[in-house]
Every structure is written in C-alpha cells, then in structure tokens.
Amino acid sequence: MTPEEFRAAAHVLVDWIADHRTRIAGLPVRSTVAPGAVATALGAEPPGSTRDIASLIAELDRTIVPGITQVQHPRNFAWFPSNASLASVLGDMASSGLGALGITWQAAPALTEVEEVVTDWLRQLTGLSEQWHGTIHDTASTAALVAMLAARERATGHGSERGGLQQAPAPLTVYASPQAHSSVAKAVLLAGYGRENLREIATDPKTYALDPAALDAAIRADLAAGLRPAAIVASIGSTGTTAVDPLADIVPIARAHGLWLHVDAAMAGSALLLPEYRWLVEGLDGADSLSWNPHKWMGTILDCSLFYVRNPAELVRVLSTDPSYLRSAVDGAVIQYKDWGIPLGRRFRALKLWFHLHLDGVEAIRARLRRDLANARWLTDQVEQTSGWRLLAPVPLQTLCLRHEPPGLVGPDGTMLDGSALDAHTLAWVEAVNATGEAFLTPITLDGRWVARISIGAEPTEQADVEALWRIVRREAERLAAPAGATTD
Ligand code: PLP
C-alpha cells in the first residue's frame, strides 16, 4: 500500500469509526453471535486475492461488529469500564503510523522520552510523590508479574544469578487478599513461587478489605516455620467489590519484614486523578510498586497500564539484558525501558496518553469520573430505598454488588431461606437483563453466593442510562420472582 492509497483508505476507515461510535447506542450491548460463527464467516482458506477497503468495511459491519460485546456502549455495566476515548485512538493511530521500534533509547529517543514525561505527568496528576518513577506496560497482569519477579530476587539476594529457585533453601511466600485479581495468583505462579506459597489473608467481613492483623500473623507464622516471606500484594479497588486494602497499616508490616509491597490499583487508579480520592492510597510512599490502568476507567485505549516503582535499579538488576548489537554510546546516560519490563520491542504507547491528555484534557476526564461517582451514589440510594433489594458490599467508587431478595428466598429479617434458589434467581434475572440487549452486567460470587454487579463508568453513560438500567433490572428481577400468574407493575 502506498502512502496515497493509505490516505484514501484511512479516510474511509476513520469515517466508519466515527459512524460506529455514533450509532453504538442502538446496538445490542452483549455480542449475540454463537461460538464459531465469526470464524466460519471468515472462511478457513487464506485469501488468494486482494479486496478493497469498502469490501473490508462491509465485512466489519456484517461479521466483526456483531461479534463484539460493545463495551463502549452507554449501557455497558459489565466487568470494569474499558473506555477507549477517541482522542487516545488518534494517539494509537499516530503510534502505529510512525511504526517506531522501541527496543532501546537509540532506536527511538522520542518513544522513551515521551514515556518518561507522560508517566511523570500522570504521577503529578494523581498526587504521587517524586519518589515514583513510571513506565507503561501492556496490562496490570504484566505489572504484577514484574513486581513478583523483583520481589523474588530481593528475597533471594538475586538467587537467579546463581542456581535460581532450584537452589532455594526454603520456599518463598506471598500474601494477598482473596479479593485480589486472578492476575496476582497468575503472577505468583509464573514467577515460580508455587500456588501453595500464596497465602490468602482474611478480610473484613463487611468491607472485604485485607485484615492487617491477620497479615502480620501469617507472616510471623511463616517465619517461625522457616519459610521466607517475599511479597505482599495490596488491592486498591478489588475486582469484585472495589474493596480498598488499608495501605497505611500494611506498609509498616511490609517494611518491618523487608517484603516487596506491590499495590494493584488497576481500576481505582483513575480515581486518584481526583484529589478527594487520594485517601485510597494513603501510606503509599512505603510501598515498592504501584500499577493502574488508564485503559480502564480513565479511558486511554488498551493497552496502557502504568507501572511505578520507587527504585528502578531493583528492576534493572533483574530484567536488564545487554547484547552487543543493542549497545550505543549513550548507554548509562538514558533510560532503557527494555530493562524495566519483559519485552524487548515496545510500542509507542505513551502517545495514546499524550493525545488523550492534550485533546480531551484532564479537567474533562475528572468531570466524567465525578459524573460516574455521582451516578453510582444515585443507584446506591435507589437500591437502599427499595424493599426486596440489598447491597452486599460498600460502594467506595462506582461498582455496586446487589441482590434481589424476594420473600420466600429470604426471610423478613434478612435470613437466607434457600441459598441455591437465590443463586438461581440472581443468575436468571441477570441473564434476562443481558438477553434484552439493552444493558449488560456481569455477576460474581461473593461469600459463596452469586450477586449481581453493576460497574458504572463507560464514557457515554449518563444518569439517564443508569436510570434506565435500574428500571430494566427491577422489571426483570421482579417479573421472574413473581408467583406464576401474578403480574408486576
Ligand atoms: N487488577 C485488578 C484489580 C483488575 O480489576 C484487573 C482487571 O480487571 C486486573 C488487575 C488485570 O488487568 P489487566 O487486564 O490490565 O491485566
């Protein structure tokens, strides 16, 4: 494709993207395709001839769009917001168009230095102290893995430079709440600690936040048993309920025992843009690493996960490589981000943030986050004021866990009469909501029971959408709970 052919095709594609975003509210939120339908439509044979952009766009409409759950839809309340602001899409296009190769500073000085600058802008905008130095990973999962690798090496005195874990005198242990995201357990496994050395620490039964006393006791018990505690992962905004582990109490424990403390704020990190939410990370300065995803609520298109460390030298010692073909005269005077993470070749992700911050602006982003928090408070009030409905966890941010508890399944005093039937009812009404195509939410298990979960914060979601969701939710749940023959208003 020549630049002129690219120009013509790209104009058509950009128009299509803008049209798609304009009409997205009219699409079903959850994808309706059956497993295998997209693959079948594409055909098994590789294309033998070329097609033009118009024909590809027709196939985007016909095959690809129906095969996507529209997380940019105003009535998407599933998982966590996965916003893709169009301003950041432009940055992604610029990044792809430049085709830069981020393997060393020399390969693309701007790629390194824009990343240095924008991660520091985000540090300032979220109120982090100057102790923190940032890089951009693809995901929070990668950030957790990098943190667990660095923790392992600190705890073993850089054992990987000798015989590695195969020569470790005793198992290393890691501590996290059962509410921690599954990527934490995955990172612990991938870093070689072994599943049985990941300790699930008790949480407060009401807030689901990690209990610091239980954490301290678990570390002491492991030390007494001859094990080697290596790392703690604190969740700030856990995936299920957005529980907030008490950093101010966890930090002294980590410091007392010399453990690496990784703070996973993948979702809640966006809230740090709001000064009134900085309490979420009170005490952070005693931690070792922090990750959060602009590609969630803040809305810088995937993949864009910020990873901050207090001491980059601890990453470099573990992750650096120095093959002769990558050396240059400036080594030692510049940041080599390849030594702060796993991949060698890196994309120019920082441009997405740079475009997003310049074109949308931080004040507009802050206003949107505050809108979402207000919508969550509105919905919280509705649930609390409506008989037969219950919130199962506090709502510190924009995610609600709720249940419809009809008479017969739950007694007048709140006692659960038939847990299995209640689970079946919850799953049935959530599926009924999702099947309408008008809204989409994803349930979770909490304390062994299914609960509905509503995560507010898609970029186009206004209060009217949340009001509509509440109407749909009540209609479906109350309809399904009604005795046969009864009608609901
Ligand atoms: N941590 C938390 C608290 C999350 O909610 C998630 C995903 O939702 C992750 C980590 C993993 O994020 P990523 O998809 O960037 O790996």
Side-chain angles (χ1 to χ4, degrees):
M1 179 173 269
T2 66
E4 282 314 314
E5 288 166 344
F6 172 79
R7 187 192 310 280
H11 278 290
V12 178
L13 182 63
V14 166
D15 281 344
W16 180 83
I17 293 170
D19 288 344
H20 172 71
R21 290 294 184 99
T22 306
R23 64 182 178 224
I24 205 166
L27 297 173
V29 191
R30 186 176 66 178
S31 170
T32 53
V33 301
V38 174
T40 304
L42 295 183
E45 296 290 316
S49 57
T50 59
R51 291 163 66 179
D52 63 12
I53 186 75
S55 136
L56 284 187
I57 284 181
E59 187 149 358
L60 282 180
D61 279 324
R62 201 169 50 244
T63 309
I64 304 299
V65 170
I68 289 177
T69 291
Q70 305 295 342
V71 294
Q72 310 308 326
H73 192 292
R75 300 215 186 140
N76 170 45
F77 301 97
W79 307 301
F80 272 146
S82 184
N83 290 318
S85 80
L86 288 169
S88 67
V89 170
L90 290 175
D92 213 20
M93 286 170 63
S95 167
S96 297
L98 283 167
L101 174 64
I103 51 175
T104 61
W105 178 90
Q106 189 73 73
L111 187 151
T112 301
E113 294 187 14
V114 176
E115 185 160 331
E116 235 178 296
V117 169
V118 296
T119 55
D120 197 63
W121 287 351
L122 264 305
R123 177 191 68 74
Q124 296 173 51
L125 289 170
T126 52
L128 268 51
S129 77
E130 288 182 354
Q131 292 186 49
W132 295 94
H133 308 276
T135 185
I136 306 174
H137 288 322
D138 52 358
T139 59
S141 303
T142 298
L145 175 57
V146 168
M148 289 306 103
L149 294 172
R152 185 190 72 195
E153 292 310 299
R154 181 195 278 177
T156 57
H158 292 271
S160 67
E161 294 170 5
R162 302 180 301 276
L165 284 181
Q166 312 215 48
Q167 287 182 357
L172 304 174
T173 47
V174 179
Y175 306 82
S177 132
Q179 298 295 325
H181 188 260
S182 53
S183 57
V184 171
K186 189 171 182 173
V188 168
L189 298 191
L190 292 178
Y193 293 85
R195 188 183 292 281
E196 63 192 33
N197 298 314
L198 173 59
R199 304 276 182 264
E200 283 197 350
I201 303 302
T203 54
D204 180 289
K206 287 207 164 59
T207 65
Y208 295 98
L210 183 144
D211 174 358
L215 171 68
D216 196 45
I219 293 171
R220 287 178 192 283
D222 282 338
L223 285 169
L227 306 183
R228 293 186 302 160
I232 302 167
V233 180
S235 302
I236 302 299
S238 65
T239 311
T241 68
T242 62
V244 179
D245 291 347
L247 268 189
D249 297 327
I250 294 171
V251 161
I253 298 172
R255 294 285 64 84
H257 299 289
L259 273 61
W260 186 286
L261 174 54
H262 176 60
V263 179
D264 175 11
M267 159 69 198
S270 299
L272 301 178
L273 291 166
L274 307 177
E276 65 272 27
Y277 278 85
R278 304 264 164 82
W279 60 266
L280 288 167
V281 289
E282 197 191 322
L284 176 72
D285 271 352
D288 294 282
S289 54
L290 161 75
S291 68
W292 70 274
N293 289 351
H295 71 223
K296 285 188 159 56
W297 193 14
M298 174 176 159
T300 310
I301 186 172
L302 254 168
D303 48 357
C304 188
S305 183
L306 291 169
F307 182 59
Y308 290 93
V309 286
R310 277 200 303 150
N311 183 6
E314 287 200 74
L315 297 182
V316 173
R317 170 103 186 250
V318 178
L319 298 162
S320 72
T321 52
D322 186 30
S324 55
Y325 82 104
L326 294 179
R327 290 186 196 150
S328 80
V330 297
D331 295 350
V334 293
I335 290 186
Q336 302 287 14
Y337 279 125
K338 72 177 173 57
D339 297 339
W340 293 36
I342 295 166
L344 171 63
R346 313 174 74 248
R347 302 189 67 230
F348 203 158
R349 293 194 185 95
L351 278 184
K352 301 193 270 202
L353 280 167
W354 192 67
F355 270 64
H356 193 189
L357 289 173
H358 277 305
L359 292 176
D360 277 356
V362 70
E363 286 314 323
I365 296 169
R366 285 179 167 140
R368 177 165 57 75
L369 301 179
R370 290 193 175 106
R371 174 203 66 181
D372 299 338
L373 289 158
N375 284 340
R377 278 193 295 275
W378 178 87
L379 187 56
T380 300
D381 289 346
Q382 305 309 306
V383 177
E384 282 175 344
Q385 290 162 15
T386 307
S387 108
W389 288 85
R390 194 152 76 92
L391 284 170
L392 282 304
V395 186
L397 293 167
Q398 41 56 270
T399 299
L400 292 81
C401 292
L402 67 162
R403 200 156 53 200
H404 180 231
E405 299 187 336
L409 300 182
V410 175
D413 59 351
T415 315
M416 198 179 300
L417 303 176
D418 185 341
S420 305
L422 190 59
D423 275 352
H425 177 57
T426 303
L427 293 175
W429 73 253
V430 169
E431 176 52 28
V433 169
N434 292 343
T436 65
E438 294 173 63
F440 182 44
L441 44 146
T442 41
I444 58 160
T445 56
L446 195 59
D447 296 331
R449 289 280 157 230
W450 283 100
V451 302
R453 182 176 169 286
I454 295 175
S455 194
I456 296 170
E459 195 178 7
T461 302
E462 298 292 347
Q463 181 167 337
D465 297 299
V466 180
E467 290 171 2
L469 170 74
W470 181 227
R471 277 195 302 275
I472 299 166
V473 156
R474 287 196 60 185
R475 183 188 74 209
E476 295 304 321
E478 292 170 13
R479 176 178 68 78
L480 286 170
T487 54
T488 52
D489 58 10

